[in-house]
Amino acid sequence: MSPQSLRVLKHPGVWVTTLLLMVVAAAFAVFWFRAPFFAQRTPVAPPPPLKLATFVGSQRCAECHQAEHAAWQQSHHAKAMQHATPSTVAGDFSGVTYTQDGITSTFLQRGKAFIVRTDGPDGQLADFEVKYTFGIEPMQQYLVELPGGRLQALALSWDTRPRESGGQRWFRQYPNERIDHRDELHWTKRSQNWNFMCADCHSTDVRKGYDAAADTFDTRFAEVSVGCEACHGPASTHLEWARGPRASTPDQSSKGFTVLFDERRGVGWPIDAASGNARRSRLRETAKELNACAPCHSRRSQFAEGWRPGDALMQHFLPVTLRESLYHADGQQQGEVFIWGSFVQSRMHQAGVTCSDCHDPHSQKLRHEGNAICAQCHAPARYERIEHHRHEAGSAAAQCVACHMPATTYMVIDPRRDHGFKIPRPDLTLSTGAPNACGSCHTDQSTQWALDALQQWHGPARRANAHYGDFLHAGRTARAGAARGLQGLAGDLSQPAIVRATALELLQRYPSEPAQALLQRGLVDADALLRHVAVSGYESLPPAARIAALAPRLRDDTRAVRMEAARLLVPVAAQLDVGAKTAFTAAITEYEATLRADLSQPETRVNLGNLLWQRGDGAAAEGQFRAALQQEPRFAPARVNLAELLRSQGRETEAEASLREGLEVDPESPILRESLALSLVRQGKKPEAFRQFERAARGSVATARQIYLYALALDDANRRPEALRVLAEGTKRYADRDLLLTLALWQSEGGNAAAAREALAAWQRINPDDPALPRSLASE
């Protein structure tokens, strides 16, 4: 918000309208849910259509591919999900018990049925039959069926590790949290629902089958586990090819499949004697394997079913960027992110390495044990020396993965290695707080100790070059130089695409002409994730300003990108030219169809409600918002958007009642309290509104926005000195644009030029290109 916009806030009563506009914008800018080489792109022609294939089952594949089938049968894929039988259940169901948080659960076997007696949806003990096993190492989970076709994953899991490793026991996920039947993490809640959360990656060709009218699932799959066709696609046409006269088969090159995984065929990795590193003998120009593995080995949302080999990831899924809480600033895994996002940052990916260079795709085992897997490309004579790894030869610490693939443990007992293949950087630990492999083992030593050791071995200039982690950390935390650092990173063609996309996403916090130019260039980037981020960045602009930039993206060859462009152009669809309208109609129809295809989650219903509201169908939008709240009463975005819709229809008292109902369910929600305060303002109930603003701003999870709104409320009540104190305290917690610019404005109006300059200088250090700054400085 510019100083000119801020200036109107000093007039009594005007701040109410301003805040109202802000919350309307927030309803659309914040509470949409996304199911993210500036080289010019060349559209890729789709492959010629094949005869529609059907699924035949992995057993049919075994008729010709005995060795591959035998390897697969012992794999995690084959055991990803199985019917619960005495031969598949690993846990102890002999009547043993497990007690936590006052609940004693009992594991029983009655004939061939496996029973868990535990607290159900109502908190009472009941017997639940295990329908399926889920996974095998290092744990096995169990699925039970609840009404409505819902399969739920029990929080109680069996540790399949050997007893001497701490296994052969029952344990509960989230062991340090007290969870009862009302908690969103309870096994009966939607966060533990197999149909939506898990099924797609544990079975083959899953169709959720959600009936929105009945609120039930009829989920089906072609094969219960991750079978051959989960990766290769339906095989009926392949069987026809195998049995038919090859010469007369028009699709002989693909053998009846939509795609062949042939990226490694005829490829070598000769090692350069000078560097000790290998170079791929032929440039890898496709991403067939990566696109086959990424749907299940990435942190992503699914917006469309029906993925087939050859489909790019973002035709059906939207992966996350390197977001806070999921990735450390230097790109290392933090949350449960499932490999892809780490790997596409790596030098290995840039060099052309693909998944099966290291992993056997059928057994999922490494192709070689220990350092031998790395020795395929990295000369042992150079790297398996104490002078390189600095640890006792043959020790666990001398294994390549110890330093270059540190593990993070998830689900209590499941360590997973980072696939970014990074070099330990204690300096980044000091500057960003990201962990480093040295400190993970040498827990009794300081980070400075590790940094000193590396510099002693390799010299002070070792790794002195800037790392994108420093720039992302500055952008996340609004440090000095954040904006220009992100600008440089987003435009650096040498950086991985996911890093540039993350920088572009963070730049939306720091408006400037250079940032806008980078968004514009991002719209034509070769990488689909970066194009999606660029399109999303236009949401902060007025709808009319989006047309010229986003209309061409309505024809983007990636579904996620063109649907996002269509979503942002809904308010101005009538202003599009004839050609753009045709593309818009196709893209928005596609978008609406993906929403309606699976309304099992409140996020999807809110998105559909927003779309219907923008189209003028308020009654249908209200129905979707209310249905979302029926699914999850604590889902604040649905309640906030519902309140805004009711307000727009002159039903303010209903909006207030809904918000109060939400606060009864979730009294600590700052956004609900903020929205209630705005509703009260509109009704002229300022004293109570003021109390709600204050409570929202003083909460432990208050955002900069809520502090800002509270300061505005204080100012409107002619309590400017208190408002200044709130802003000043807020800037110690958040280096936020609105907080700093408003503080500067009010200090200037109060005659405190030095304090005003200090606030402006603080923001100038973060984003010197902000268009608000010159005007602010000129007013001094």
Side-chain angles (χ1 to χ4, degrees):
M1 184 177 292
S2 68
Q4 283 74 5
S5 300
L6 290 170
R7 221 172 266 286
V8 303
L9 302 180
K10 65 182 180 180
H11 300 293
V14 176
W15 70 278
V16 176
T17 302
T18 303
L19 296 187
L20 173 58
L21 292 173
M22 288 173 63
V23 82
V24 170
F28 290 96
V30 177
F31 299 138
W32 286 90
F33 295 87
R34 301 185 174 95
F37 247 163
F38 286 125
Q40 188 69 32
R41 301 173 52 250
T42 302
V44 178
L50 294 174
K51 177 181 177 181
L52 187 63
T54 57
F55 288 83
V56 300
S58 296
Q59 193 56 45
R60 296 295 301 276
C61 305
E63 296 173 11
C64 296
H65 304 283
Q66 294 94 341
E68 292 82 358
H69 187 266
W72 167 80
Q73 283 187 308
Q74 303 305 312
S75 72
H76 285 207
H77 280 177
K79 300 174 183 180
M81 181 168 165
Q82 302 176 93
H83 294 279
T85 68
S87 63
T88 62
V89 171
D92 183 352
F93 283 80
S94 65
V96 298
T97 61
Y98 178 89
T99 301
Q100 188 159 347
D101 296 339
I103 300 293
T104 296
S105 301
T106 307
F107 303 88
L108 307 161
Q109 186 171 355
R110 295 176 186 157
K112 293 183 178 180
F114 296 87
I115 308 296
V116 180
R117 181 175 299 148
T118 192
D119 58 326
D122 58 359
Q124 300 300 308
L125 289 179
D127 288 356
F128 300 93
E129 182 179 353
V130 173
K131 295 290 186 179
Y132 298 95
T133 65
F134 218 52
I136 190 64
E137 291 179 0
M139 70 187 71
Q140 187 175 71
Q141 295 178 270
Y142 300 96
L143 301 179
V144 303
E145 189 171 12
L146 293 184
R150 287 170 168 79
L151 286 176
Q152 301 290 134
L154 288 166
L156 299 170
S157 304
W158 180 253
D159 185 339
T160 61
R161 298 175 301 168
R163 193 177 303 277
E164 56 269 23
S165 300
Q168 300 303 297
R169 64 185 176 103
W170 289 101
F171 72 99
R172 196 190 76 174
Q173 310 222 12
Y174 318 107
N176 300 320
E177 298 187 49
R178 187 173 183 85
I179 298 172
D180 65 16
H181 67 284
R182 294 162 294 189
D183 195 288
E184 62 185 354
L185 293 178
H186 193 260
W187 71 269
T188 60
K189 300 298 185 182
R190 69 186 184 99
S191 64
Q192 310 300 323
N193 174 248
W194 166 85
N195 310 73
F196 179 79
M197 297 293 294
C198 318
D200 191 59
C201 286
H202 281 257
S203 300
T204 302
D205 192 40
V206 172
R207 305 291 170 161
K208 296 185 183 72
Y210 179 71
D211 185 328
D215 188 28
T216 59
F217 285 97
D218 182 20
T219 304
R220 298 169 183 260
F221 40 71
E223 189 168 348
V224 65
S225 64
V226 180
C228 308
E229 294 163 296
C231 302
H232 291 281
S236 63
T237 50
H238 173 65
L239 292 182
E240 292 178 11
W241 170 86
R243 293 168 177 167
R246 305 291 174 85
S248 63
T249 306
D251 58 343
Q252 183 170 348
S253 62
S254 64
K255 301 182 180 181
F257 286 119
T258 56
V259 67
L260 290 181
F261 295 113
D262 55 3
E263 291 168 314
R264 299 178 69 246
R265 186 169 300 164
V267 170
W269 287 88
I271 295 177
D272 174 66
S275 68
N277 296 321
R279 182 182 296 272
R280 203 175 197 270
S281 61
R282 185 174 70 244
L283 181 68
R284 179 170 62 80
E285 298 178 336
T286 61
K288 298 176 184 179
E289 286 190 14
L290 197 57
N291 280 331
C293 301
C296 290
H297 295 276
S298 65
R299 182 67 175 255
R300 72 345 179 235
S301 58
Q302 181 184 25
F303 54 79
E305 294 180 339
W307 177 89
R308 293 290 182 268
D311 289 348
L313 179 65
M314 289 177 61
Q315 303 295 11
H316 300 267
F317 306 93
L318 183 61
V320 299
T321 55
L322 306 181
R323 292 179 183 167
E324 293 167 86
S325 79
L326 294 179
Y327 292 91
H328 293 287
D330 69 344
Q332 289 186 75
Q333 62 184 10
Q334 182 177 1
E336 201 169 6
V337 291
F338 310 109
I339 298 175
W340 178 85
S342 301
F343 180 67
V344 294
Q345 299 173 57
S346 72
R347 292 183 179 181
M348 309 305 167
H349 175 253
Q350 292 176 313
V353 172
T354 192
C355 308
S356 69
D357 282 319
C358 299
H359 301 272
D360 183 285
H362 300 106
S363 68
Q364 283 96 64
K365 294 180 180 179
L366 289 172
R367 292 190 178 276
H368 304 280
E369 294 297 324
N371 287 349
I373 190 68
C374 304
Q376 294 179 110
C377 295
H378 304 285
R382 183 182 182 92
Y383 292 106
E384 284 207 58
R385 301 166 61 221
I386 291 179
E387 291 79 4
H388 173 73
H389 55 65
R390 305 287 174 166
H391 292 90
E392 182 182 350
S395 67
Q399 292 293 301
C400 305
V401 296
C403 294
H404 302 296
M405 297 184 70
T408 301
T409 298
Y410 302 99
M411 302 176 78
V412 185
I413 61 170
D414 188 9
R416 302 176 199 166
R417 293 200 176 275
D418 192 295
H419 279 63
F421 306 102
K422 300 179 185 296
I423 293 172
R425 293 282 300 262
D427 58 314
L428 290 177
T429 302
L430 293 175
S431 61
T432 73
N436 68 85
C438 306
S440 299
C441 289
H442 298 278
T443 56
D444 59 334
Q445 299 289 353
S446 69
T447 301
Q448 188 62 51
W449 169 86
L451 181 59
D452 291 344
L454 288 174
Q455 290 182 339
Q456 181 180 353
W457 295 336
H458 303 292
R462 176 77 167 178
R463 302 300 159 196
N465 55 304
H467 188 278
Y468 58 77
D470 285 319
F471 300 119
L472 295 183
H473 179 67
R476 290 176 174 186
T477 57
R479 299 290 179 91
R484 287 190 174 170
L486 292 172
Q487 291 167 17
L489 192 57
D492 185 351
L493 299 181
S494 69
Q495 297 293 341
I498 193 171
V499 172
R500 294 185 289 118
T502 304
L504 197 62
E505 192 171 63
L506 284 169
L507 264 177
Q508 295 171 30
R509 305 180 187 180
Y510 307 103
S512 68
E513 289 186 7
Q516 189 60 38
L518 287 164
L519 273 183
Q520 184 73 33
R521 291 170 59 191
L523 293 173
V524 294
D525 194 86
D527 183 76
L529 180 58
L530 199 144
R531 294 200 307 280
H532 187 276
V533 168
V535 170
S536 298
Y538 278 81
E539 189 160 25
S540 62
L541 297 183
R546 304 171 189 169
I547 294 176
L550 299 189
R553 297 278 61 79
L554 294 170
R555 295 183 175 86
D556 199 281
D557 54 14
T558 297
R559 176 158 38 178
V561 177
R562 61 178 178 264
M563 291 195 311
E564 181 72 351
R567 181 183 75 82
L568 294 179
L569 289 173
V570 170
V572 289
Q575 300 175 37
L576 298 172
D577 62 35
V578 175
K581 279 184 180 177
T582 301
F584 169 80
T585 299
I588 202 65
T589 299
E590 195 172 28
Y591 174 61
E592 184 174 359
T594 64
L595 295 177
R596 293 189 181 278
D598 181 11
L599 290 170
S600 65
Q601 302 302 303
E603 294 89 347
T604 311
R605 287 192 178 275
V606 167
N607 280 350
L608 180 58
N610 289 340
L611 177 61
L612 295 168
W613 185 5
Q614 288 187 326
R615 285 177 161 176
D617 193 347
E622 180 179 346
Q624 291 300 327
F625 294 149
R626 292 192 183 280
L629 290 172
Q630 186 70 28
Q631 290 175 325
E632 179 49 78
R634 295 171 60 93
F635 192 59
R639 203 171 292 278
V640 171
N641 285 17
L642 174 61
E644 268 308 303
L645 174 62
L646 295 174
R647 178 206 61 77
S648 71
Q649 297 173 340
R651 300 158 64 187
E652 192 71 71
T653 56
E654 292 181 61
E656 178 188 346
S658 177
L659 292 167
R660 290 190 184 278
E661 180 183 336
L663 285 167
E664 288 179 7
V665 177
D666 186 7
E668 300 305 315
S669 171
I671 187 60
L672 287 179
R673 203 161 293 284
E674 170 195 320
S675 298
L676 175 60
L678 290 167
S679 177
L680 292 169
V681 166
R682 292 189 291 261
Q683 298 176 70
K685 303 176 182 179
K686 283 193 175 183
E688 186 179 359
F690 181 86
R691 290 192 295 272
Q692 297 295 341
F693 278 130
E694 180 178 20
R695 186 168 176 183
R698 296 194 183 283
S700 60
V701 292
T703 63
R705 170 187 165 83
Q706 280 130 22
I707 296 170
Y708 172 63
L709 295 182
Y710 177 43
L712 294 182
L714 284 166
D715 188 61
D716 183 70
N718 296 315
R719 296 164 64 178
R720 173 67 67 87
E722 291 177 70
L724 284 170
R725 283 196 294 273
V726 167
L727 288 177
E729 288 299 315
T731 59
K732 294 177 182 177
R733 187 172 173 183
Y734 300 104
D736 177 74
R737 183 176 190 258
D738 285 341
L739 293 178
L740 286 166
L741 293 182
T742 306
L743 179 61
L745 175 64
W746 288 353
Q747 292 285 19
S748 178
E749 291 177 344
N752 193 341
R757 281 194 299 271
E758 183 181 348
L760 287 173
W763 184 247
Q764 190 173 38
R765 286 192 292 271
I766 297 166
N767 185 15
D769 303 311
D770 193 311
L773 284 172
R775 293 192 291 271
S776 300
L777 293 171
S779 67
E780 290 297 328

